[in-house]
Amino acid sequence: MPGPASARAAGTVRAEGIGVVVLARGPGSTMAELLRSLQDSQLVARFQRRCGLFPAPDEGPRENGAGPAEGAARGLAQLPAANGKGGRGPANGLRRLAAPQAYVQKYVVKNYFYYYLFRFSAALGQEVFYITFLPFTHWNIDPYLSRRLIILWVYPFALGLLMAVVFSTLVCLSRLYTGMHTVLDVLGGILVTAVLLVLTYPAWTLLDRLDSASPLFPVCVIVVPFLLCYHYPVSDCRSPTRADTTTILAAGAGVTLGFWVNHFFQLASAPTESLPVVRDIPPLTTDMLVLGLTKFTVGIVLILLVRQLVQNLSLQVLYSWFKVVTRNKEARRRLEIEVPYKFVTYTSVGLCATTFVPMLHRFLGLL
């Protein structure tokens, strides 16, 4: 039998004559419990209920043709969730990605302000936002401002940091509202972002000027992000995170490559010292509005055409290389197909937005 000293050393206290053993909890067990509590899906469900989103009674599979707009009109919001055991969705509002078959969980919307706010916020983290807002900034406001926004939504620092905090907060809350992530996921992402900001802050200006420093820079811009995407950590269940990460990194690589091409071939003038957010902006006129919308429309059409063309071509090449049946839609989710085709596609999109669209604007006399 161990003595009292050894029992205390082991973190155990025995009550004499009672037979009760109390385990003293150390910092490690407390931290583990905290992490488990932050990962609890009930936290997500409580947040949804506080925002006026309540699970509706299960009515079976989603009807064909029923969309979110139709559901919202009936007071219901449809959030696709993974199908659980027996074909039932999660009752706690958290969407799981472990099952292969999709399930649509219907919710009763009692607060439409939060509903539309977080629907909009969710779009801020999706392709539709990045393929419209950043190109619009590049074509109609200032290429150098767009360039700094892509690096880190920063310049000047205070304004950029404020924008980053507001946008990131909205996106994070939207992930909880739609049940895509746990509180631990969101806090972990914030922590990783904060650490990266602190570590890379001294090198932001250096990174911004590297594109003109070496002819080997384009090789690094393409190879490093591609390897990061290809070796992205995966889990046992299907998750769209690798595809989303590949899309973001590839678009960033294409934009950075486009900036390098513009500088190397002197296709764009040197950036000004003062940015549009600092210097006086001329008053908005009808002619300026029409010109801006025309440039935006021309650019978006060209980007969509390039995206569709490169995607189809890259998929055909990869299907032929790996001897995959073209009609097999699941094949594009394979690592050796998904990463290359998405990376090539969105690198082309980024290059097109920063180099070829301004050239087309210049050719059409829109600059």
Side-chain angles (χ1 to χ4, degrees), residues 263-274:
H263 179 271
F264 187 82
F265 293 99
Q266 298 181 353
L267 300 178
S269 57
T272 58
E273 292 297 329
S274 59

Side-chain angles (χ1 to χ4, degrees), residues 61-99:
R62 176 180 177 177
E63 299 178 0
N64 292 332
E70 180 183 347
R74 299 196 305 268
L76 298 176
Q78 296 180 334
L79 302 178
N83 191 15
K85 293 182 180 179
R88 294 185 59 82
N92 53 26
L94 183 64
R95 295 197 284 178
R96 301 290 184 186
L97 296 171

